[in-house]
Amino acid sequence: MATFDYQFFVIGGGSGGVRAARIAAGFGARVAIAEEYRYGGTCVIRGCVPKKLLVQASHFSEDFADAEGFGWTLPSAQFSWEKLIAGKNTEISRLSEVYESNLGRSGVTVLHGTARLLDAHTVEASGKRFSAEFILIATGGRPFLPSIPGIEHAITSNEVFELAQLPKRVLIVGGGYIAVEFSGIFNGLGSEVTLAYRGEQILRGFDDDVRAHLHDEMSKKDIHFMLRRDVTNIDRRTDGALDVMFNGSVGNQDDKGHTFDAVLYATGRIPNVGGLGLENIGIHLEPDGGIAVDEFGCTNIPNIYAAGDVTNRIALTPVAIREGAAIASTLFGPTRTPVDLAIVPSAVFSQPPIGTVGLSESEALERHQEIDIYRADFRPLRHTLSGRNERTLVKLVVDTASQRVLGAHMVGADAPEIIQGLAIALRMGATKADFDATVAVHPTAAEEFVTLREKSTRCNPQKKG
Ligand code: FAD
């Protein structure tokens, strides 16, 4: 029997890779991991964690304003971008060290450097070659940038966390969750924000009511939307500002060009597969560029697995973590463990935030003959005194025949916290009657989910028969 330097070699020290390495080591496997940048990966270094800290920082401007209605008088608030970024940097350095030291404590050999595959059992990393029985590719993804003239003047989510100063005028290109989150961050911190997106409405794939509600709320905060518009050209002026040209049929002549201090592209992410040597060993990719895997995360090469964003399925940290853990358990644990991605809750840390789980109304209508829709759109208690004109949306999508709740959606304060609990109910197959039978917590916004009474019913004629 061949002997290997390691039983398990993990490429990429992000959410999926770190979890897989630690779980495998916990099962007694000899494990090594290689990371080319900083341990913790996208989520810790330039994703979820720093993003949420910036969201929290940016919300204070509204909190200060809202406080007046509750009797507070505050001196005018001052904000320091430098102080915020320094605090954020300290926290992510601390977290990155925790990730790395936890790996070491779990008995994993921790390597620094870019890794690539030489053959199905050989990895080159840090200038050395290592043989491994099993290999996990967990190299994540990176921002996609279109090739238009002047794109080199734009930044992505990789650079935005390190900007030297807060830009006064920001253009955000894209309509996905990262674009709307950064629109809220810069708006809350005092920048003038324009969001340009070539589609009809932000947040493609989310429930249409959610998309429209957030669009309205963001507009109320003076975020300027340019929908059905795309950037054609970016020019840097001698004073450093950026002149941006747009195409699209909407608007008058003045709307075709604008000047900004920063242009942030959030136009999607692509799997990190380049330079890994995948072509040398014939690893199959999906048409979208993600590594093709089966339900156990195995590629077409039986000893090579892939997890997380590099597979381009559901690009979220908890999903990458689940996949990494399941692969380690399949290879070294007592049971083969597939990952069930049927009901994955998610949040958008927009302002106000979104929490969502299960099917949108249109997805439910495609799959079911008849659905019941329950929705409430209301002014939350806090804003009766703050005077802010912000509204909360809660919505349930229910299968008429079985009365099973297919989807739960919310736009409003604490929606990401609230949706986590509802996800458990949906996974357990809760019906509308189960929601109705649950006693409310009062006074909360979440109680609306158990007091929804008014319904509208929608039919899919193609499903009749
Ligand atoms: P990653 O965490 O990206 O880790 C991959 C690692 O591999 C990286 O550290 C990289 O440096 C390393 N690497 C790449 N190639 C090599 C190589 N050849 N050799 C060695 N190392 C290599 N998800 C959420 O759930 N909630 C959120 O709120 C959220 N917010 C986000 C905000 C932003 C701005 C971004 C960009 C992402 C956000 N995400 C969020 C998504 C989340 O960060 C990813 O889904 C998650 O990090 C994926 O984990 P992963 O292990 O697949 O990849």
Side-chain angles (χ1 to χ4, degrees):
M1 197 178 99
T3 54
F4 298 97
D5 296 328
Y6 294 100
Q7 285 170 284
F8 195 39
F9 196 107
V10 178
I11 305 178
S15 309
V18 167
R19 182 56 62 100
R22 291 188 61 196
I23 302 263
F27 284 126
R30 269 189 342 275
V31 185
I33 185 168
E35 166 57 48
E36 67 178 8
Y37 182 51
R38 294 175 72 184
Y39 276 93
T42 305
C43 180
V44 170
I45 310 296
R46 44 200 185 188
C48 339
V49 174
K51 179 268 309 274
K52 183 119 186 242
L53 291 173
L54 264 56
V55 169
Q56 283 165 337
S58 68
H59 207 268
F60 281 103
S61 54
E62 286 195 354
D63 295 338
F64 294 145
D66 290 356
E68 264 187 51
F70 290 85
W72 291 92
T73 304
L74 299 170
S76 92
Q78 302 297 314
F79 169 70
S80 163
W81 173 259
E82 293 76 14
K83 198 168 172 189
L84 171 63
I85 296 303
K88 178 273 292 178
N89 286 345
T90 304
E91 174 55 12
I92 63 164
S93 294
R94 186 191 69 80
L95 272 177
S96 182
E97 279 162 28
V98 168
Y99 271 72
E100 194 169 336
S101 62
N102 280 346
L103 282 162
R105 260 204 295 277
S106 306
V108 175
T109 302
V110 178
L111 304 168
H112 291 268
T114 303
R116 68 187 182 106
L117 296 160
L118 299 181
D119 61 46
H121 286 286
T122 313
V123 181
E124 188 181 66
S126 312
K128 294 194 190 126
R129 289 177 179 198
F130 303 94
S131 61
E133 186 177 4
F134 294 102
I135 294 168
L136 172 65
I137 303 168
T139 49
R142 62 193 153 83
F144 166 77
L145 278 173
S147 48
I148 55 151
I151 194 69
E152 66 278 9
H153 303 306
I155 57 167
T156 68
S157 62
N158 281 353
E159 295 80 35
V160 70
F161 295 109
E162 302 303 333
L163 280 178
Q165 57 199 32
L166 178 69
K168 201 168 162 317
R169 298 158 298 182
V170 192
L171 172 67
I172 297 177
V173 186
Y177 80 94
I178 294 175
V180 302
E181 288 176 342
F182 275 99
S183 299
I185 289 169
F186 283 117
N187 178 258
L189 295 178
S191 305
E192 285 167 29
V193 178
T194 302
L195 186 151
Y197 175 50
R198 64 182 179 191
E200 294 286 318
Q201 179 59 290
I202 53 170
L203 293 180
R204 187 162 59 87
F206 285 73
D207 185 89
D208 285 342
D209 283 335
V210 167
R211 299 169 77 190
H213 190 93
L214 183 68
H215 183 208
D216 283 355
E217 292 300 331
M218 289 173 69
S219 301
K220 286 183 201 166
K221 297 180 200 292
D222 292 333
I223 292 172
H224 175 54
F225 283 92
M226 297 174 77
L227 296 177
R228 298 177 294 276
R229 308 295 298 276
D230 216 351
V231 174
T232 53
N233 188 50
I234 307 172
D235 268 331
R236 189 179 284 286
R237 299 191 332 198
T238 47
D239 65 359
L242 301 169
D243 283 333
V244 180
M245 300 300 289
F246 298 88
N247 67 11
S249 55
V250 190
N252 56 34
Q253 204 52 34
D254 294 345
D255 217 17
K256 297 237 185 255
H258 283 282
T259 304
F260 301 94
D261 301 301
V263 176
L264 168 64
Y265 263 76
T267 41
R269 291 175 62 80
I270 48 174
N272 260 335
V273 289
L276 281 170
L278 302 188
E279 53 298 334
N280 303 336
I281 43 178
I283 289 191
H284 292 168
L285 301 182
E286 296 287 357
D288 64 9
I291 295 179
V293 289
D294 66 14
E295 61 188 316
F296 296 98
C298 191
T299 68
N300 59 305
I301 309 291
N303 71 309
I304 301 186
Y305 286 70
D309 288 9
V310 76
T311 64
N312 215 10
R313 289 172 294 173
I314 302 180
L316 292 172
T317 281
V319 173
I321 289 174
R322 281 286 163 134
E323 291 171 357
I327 290 166
S329 170
T330 294
L331 294 177
F332 307 107
T335 45
R336 279 171 66 71
T337 313
V339 175
D340 176 7
L341 298 178
I343 297 182
V344 175
S346 69
V348 178
F349 294 94
S350 45
Q351 299 181 35
I354 296 173
T356 176
V357 59
L359 302 183
S360 67
E361 181 173 333
S362 55
E363 284 169 338
L365 204 54
E366 269 168 31
R367 299 182 204 180
H368 296 264
Q369 188 178 315
E370 196 172 286
I371 56 173
D372 298 336
I373 303 298
Y374 296 85
R375 53 195 304 286
D377 177 335
F378 57 94
R379 188 180 202 190
L381 181 63
R382 173 188 170 105
H383 296 314
T384 57
L385 287 201
S386 77
R388 186 172 297 285
N389 177 22
E390 181 175 299
R391 299 185 68 79
T392 293
L393 171 77
V394 301
K395 176 169 176 178
L396 287 180
V397 180
V398 177
D399 174 33
T400 310
S402 66
Q403 282 300 294
R404 195 172 161 163
V405 179
L406 304 171
H409 311 276
M410 175 171 179
V411 190
D414 301 323
E417 307 288 342
I418 292 165
I419 216 69
Q420 183 70 79
L422 292 188
I424 301 172
L426 260 69
R427 266 195 71 82
M428 294 178 74
T431 61
K432 179 66 169 61
D434 292 321
F435 273 62
D436 295 343
T438 304
V439 175
V441 178
H442 183 74
T444 63
E447 69 183 306
E448 294 291 329
F449 278 113
V450 296
T451 55
L452 289 166
R453 297 285 176 263
E454 300 253 310
K455 85 170 173 197
S456 59
T457 298
R458 294 193 61 194
C459 295
N460 177 355
Q462 262 136 30
K463 284 265 169 195
K464 282 231 162 92

